[in-house]
């Protein structure tokens, strides 16, 4: 009995496999209807309270609020040249008990609002 190169009685050889690693590769962003709607609303509306970065969270443009939110406090807004909370960052501000209109410029760093109804982008 000689050997003729057959692998009789043994398992067939396996094919080589490649291992693919995704290490260091960020996952693909997922877009959902809710995320799309939030982005759309953030670009068109500004909630009544908070500090919002221009160009990132809100777009430059003219916004209008119907006035103070429920509670009686005046509606306060400020256009800011910085977002660190230090003195001297206010470019312009205002407060009142009636309707307010503000133009946020692309040179502003942030827009701050407190006690106001939702700001809606005009045009």
């Amino acid at each position: 009995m000689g050997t003729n190169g057959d692998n009789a009685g043994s398992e067939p050889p396996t094919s080589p496999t490649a291992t693919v690693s995704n290490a260091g590769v960020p996952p693909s962003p997922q877009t959902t209807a809710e995320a799309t709607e939030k982005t759309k609303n953030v670009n068109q509306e500004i909630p009544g309270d908070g500090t919002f970065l221009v160009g990132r969270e809100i777009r430059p443009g003219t916004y209008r609020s119907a006035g103070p939110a429920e509670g009686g406090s005046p509606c306060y807004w400020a256009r800011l040249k910085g977002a660190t909370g230090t003195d001297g960052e206010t470019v312009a501000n205002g407060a009142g008990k009636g309707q307010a209109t503000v133009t946020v410029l692309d040179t502003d760093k942030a827009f701050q609002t407190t006690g106001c109804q939702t700001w809606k982008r005009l045009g």
Side-chain angles (χ1 to χ4, degrees):
M1 284 193 169
T3 42
N4 59 8
D6 288 341
N7 287 332
S10 65
E11 293 184 26
T14 58
S15 300
T17 58
T19 303
V20 178
S21 172
N22 289 332
V25 178
S28 297
Q30 301 277 330
T31 303
T32 64
E34 181 181 349
T36 302
E37 188 62 29
K38 276 186 177 180
T39 301
K40 179 181 165 191
N41 287 340
V42 167
N43 289 331
Q44 297 298 322
E45 296 182 352
I46 304 171
D49 290 309
T51 300
F52 303 89
L53 299 176
V54 176
R56 188 169 181 192
E57 297 173 313
I58 64 167
R59 296 187 312 173
T62 302
Y63 294 84
R64 180 172 292 145
S65 172
E70 292 181 28
S73 297
C75 167
Y76 172 82
W77 60 268
R79 293 178 32 232
L80 306 172
K81 62 182 177 181
T84 62
T86 59
D87 290 338
E89 290 185 335
T90 302
V91 175
N93 66 352
K97 293 206 176 240
Q99 178 176 288
T101 303
V102 176
T103 299
V104 177
L105 303 177
D106 59 354
T107 54
D108 293 339
K109 178 74 174 174
F111 177 73
Q112 183 179 46
T113 175
T114 305
C116 302
Q117 294 182 48
T118 299
W119 293 87
K120 296 184 181 188
R121 194 168 195 270
L122 304 176

